[in-house]
Amino acid sequence: MVTEMAVTKEEILDIALLSKLWVDESELDKLTEDMAGIIAFADTINAVGESAEDFDNINNLSNVFREDTVVPSYDRSLILKNVNGGENGYFPVKKRM
């Protein structure tokens, strides 16, 4: 539970109005508390700052990607024979209306 309210009920109502949302009066206290908790969590993450650099590469990986290699592909005419030869070497696609 958050002890200090980082956001007021009026601010919640303003946000709801801008978002075109309706907030029931019975839910306002809980929503205000939840929003304060979210803001407090975000402040905790922001407070970590630069000290988190040690966690950037915990597995000591330098390059996990493989090199690109050119491999043979299927012959275009064999692929397009399933669509009666295609149009100018491509699959014809109908335009959506």
Side-chain angles (χ1 to χ4, degrees), residues 8-10 12-13 23-34:
T8 65
K9 292 179 184 180
E10 290 77 21
I12 294 292
L13 291 173
V23 177
D24 188 43
E25 189 69 34
S26 64
E27 297 175 347
L28 193 54
D29 288 333
K30 178 71 174 133
L31 189 57
T32 304
E33 183 180 322
D34 290 345

Side-chain angles (χ1 to χ4, degrees), residues 1 71 95:
M1 183 172 194
V71 295
K95 192 175 186 179

Side-chain angles (χ1 to χ4, degrees), residues 4-70:
E4 181 182 325
M5 289 291 181
V7 65
T8 65
K9 292 179 184 180
E10 290 77 21
E11 290 171 325
I12 294 292
L13 291 173
D14 287 343
I15 292 169
L17 181 65
L18 291 171
S19 304
K20 298 183 181 180
L21 298 173
W22 181 76
V23 177
D24 188 43
E25 189 69 34
S26 64
E27 297 175 347
L28 193 54
D29 288 333
K30 178 71 174 133
L31 189 57
T32 304
E33 183 180 322
D34 290 345
M35 184 65 76
I38 292 169
I39 292 172
F41 180 72
D43 287 341
T44 302
I45 292 172
N46 286 335
V48 172
E50 297 298 320
S51 65
E53 286 181 11
D54 297 338
F55 296 102
D56 284 348
N57 188 10
I58 61 173
N59 293 323
N60 295 320
L61 299 175
S62 60
N63 184 5
V64 295
F65 301 107
R66 64 173 172 77
E67 291 293 323
D68 288 337
T69 55
V70 178

Side-chain angles (χ1 to χ4, degrees), residues 76-95:
R76 183 180 292 194
S77 61
L78 291 174
I79 296 171
L80 291 174
K81 77 177 182 177
N82 292 321
V83 290
N84 297 327
E87 292 179 11
N88 298 323
Y90 298 98
F91 286 103
V93 178
K94 291 184 180 180
K95 192 175 186 179

